[in-house]
């Protein structure tokens, strides 16, 4: 049980380092968002994290959101999406499904009704393929709300979509006209 809890904490730290602030432990990401694994492990150990290659591999392999990926020889690692720093994770433009979903907290609804969904401090707005996943995402931020996105109309109007390696749909923003608010789809 302690091992699992420690891996969750390490996973959250890894997410922060690889998506937002690698400099905080003295590492750099390359233009594709990769960190050198040996440098990452050494820097984390110096910062008093108990981690080694076996633990890192376990975090990557067991993360339910598939947030991270290694290069082929496992000498580099990166977060698959969710960055607030400028990196090119080699996303390929795709045609989205007709409908996607966005999970958020109810306290953000008034702002979303005025401004739409904005990427805020991230590189993209994150959208889910199903309501259950979106609900889970919204739950992390407060009372969860799931919004329905008319991604077909967005795409037809020229908006670009990408699919990350871990199945998250990404776009620059979602204007209000493509969001169905309804009863906010509060799922119990």
């Amino acid at each position: 049980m302690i091992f699992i809890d420690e891996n969750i904490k390490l996973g959250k730290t890894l997410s922060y380092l690889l998506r937002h602030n690698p400099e905080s432990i003295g590492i750099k990401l390359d233009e594709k968002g990769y960190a050198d694994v040996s440098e990452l492990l050494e820097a984390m150990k110096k910062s008093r994290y108990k981690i080694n290659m076996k633990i890192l591999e376990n975090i990557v392999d067991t993360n339910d959101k598939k947030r991270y990926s290694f290069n082929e020889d496992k000498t580099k690692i990166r977060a698959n999406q969710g960055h607030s720093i400028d990196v090119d994770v080699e996303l390929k433009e795709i045609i989205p499904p007709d409908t996607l979903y966005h999970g958020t907290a109810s306290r953000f609804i008034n702002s979303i009704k005025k401004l739409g969904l904005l990427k805020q401090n991230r590189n993209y707005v994150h959208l889910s393929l199903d309501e259950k996943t979106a609900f889970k995402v919204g739950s992390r931020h407060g009372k969860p709300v799931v919004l329905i996105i008319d991604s077909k109309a967005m795409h037809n109007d020229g908006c670009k979509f990408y699919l990350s390696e871990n199945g998250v749909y990404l776009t620059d923003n979602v204007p209000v006209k493509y969001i169905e608010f309804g009863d906010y789809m509060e799922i119990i």
Side-chain angles (χ1 to χ4, degrees), residues 87-105:
V87 294
D88 175 12
V89 291
E90 306 170 288
L91 296 170
K92 291 181 178 68
E93 190 174 339
I94 54 111
I95 297 173
D98 292 352
T99 303
L100 289 168
Y101 303 89
H102 181 77
T104 190

Side-chain angles (χ1 to χ4, degrees), residues 18-180:
L18 296 178
R19 298 188 323 166
H20 309 296
N21 196 356
E23 296 85 12
S24 67
I25 61 166
I27 64 168
K28 292 186 179 190
L29 305 182
D30 68 17
E31 68 279 354
K32 303 293 183 190
Y34 281 104
D36 180 277
V37 169
S38 58
E39 289 176 12
L40 173 69
L41 291 173
E42 188 61 35
M44 289 182 77
K45 286 176 190 175
K46 283 182 182 176
S47 297
R48 303 180 198 256
Y49 293 102
K50 294 178 181 172
I51 191 165
N52 57 36
M53 186 61 177
K54 185 176 180 178
I55 293 170
L56 183 62
E57 287 175 322
N58 183 268
I59 291 168
V60 171
D61 292 342
T62 61
N63 184 269
D64 63 337
K65 296 177 187 155
K66 302 295 178 204
R67 288 183 192 239
Y68 321 102
S69 57
F70 287 111
N71 66 345
E72 286 185 25
D73 63 2
K74 294 188 177 180
T75 58
K76 295 182 177 186
I77 186 172
R78 73 176 173 191
N80 290 320
Q81 58 32 247
H83 297 82
S84 61
I85 55 179
D86 190 25
V87 294
D88 175 12
V89 291
E90 306 170 288
L91 296 170
K92 291 181 178 68
E93 190 174 339
I94 54 111
I95 297 173
D98 292 352
T99 303
L100 289 168
Y101 303 89
H102 181 77
T104 190
S106 59
R107 70 180 181 275
F108 300 129
I109 291 299
N110 288 336
S111 176
I112 294 169
K113 283 183 173 182
K114 292 177 189 169
L115 304 172
L117 292 171
L118 306 175
K119 55 188 169 184
Q120 302 295 340
N121 62 345
R122 292 191 176 189
N123 293 343
Y124 297 99
V125 171
H126 295 200
L127 302 172
S128 303
L129 183 59
D130 60 84
E131 295 115 300
K132 184 177 179 182
T133 302
F135 181 80
K136 195 173 175 182
V137 170
S139 297
R140 293 194 313 246
H141 305 287
K143 184 178 178 187
V145 171
V146 175
L147 303 173
I148 302 169
I149 309 303
D150 188 350
S151 44
K152 179 180 182 179
M154 283 182 67
H155 182 262
N156 290 343
D157 288 347
C159 297
K160 294 180 181 182
F161 286 83
Y162 308 92
L163 184 61
S164 70
E165 284 187 39
N166 60 337
V168 176
Y169 288 83
L170 307 167
T171 192
D172 285 327
N173 63 63
V174 181
V176 176
K177 71 180 184 176
Y178 302 111
I179 303 171
E180 182 181 321

